[in-house]
Amino acid sequence: MLSDAELTLCAALGLPTFRTGHTLHLKPVVIVADAHRTIRHVLYPVTDATAAMKEALRLAAGVTSRFVR
């Protein structure tokens, strides 16, 4: 989990957003990165947060196991 309060990462990656009034919000997206900060998986759209987190943990386990020696 990370915070992108200033939307720097959002802008750099072109992440999906929506606006309500004068406020810009991020649409739910799950990004799985490896130890070298390389994005390995992206889950979008996220319609079921619980299922998305379970899938992200499963994917992350596969990513980290490649770096364990």
Side-chain angles (χ1 to χ4, degrees), residues 32-35 40-41 57-69:
V32 179
D34 65 21
R40 297 296 177 184
H41 303 283
L57 290 171
R58 186 188 71 75
L59 292 169
V63 167
T64 58
S65 67
R66 287 185 264 176
F67 293 98
V68 175
R69 300 192 186 215

Side-chain angles (χ1 to χ4, degrees), residues 34-62:
D34 65 21
H36 302 288
R37 294 181 247 162
T38 301
I39 295 173
R40 297 296 177 184
H41 303 283
V42 176
L43 303 176
Y44 179 82
V46 174
T47 55
D48 180 342
T50 302
M53 285 295 107
K54 287 179 182 177
E55 179 65 4
L57 290 171
R58 186 188 71 75
L59 292 169

Side-chain angles (χ1 to χ4, degrees), residues 18-25:
F18 67 97
R19 188 173 293 280
T20 56
H22 297 292
T23 306
L24 187 66
H25 302 275

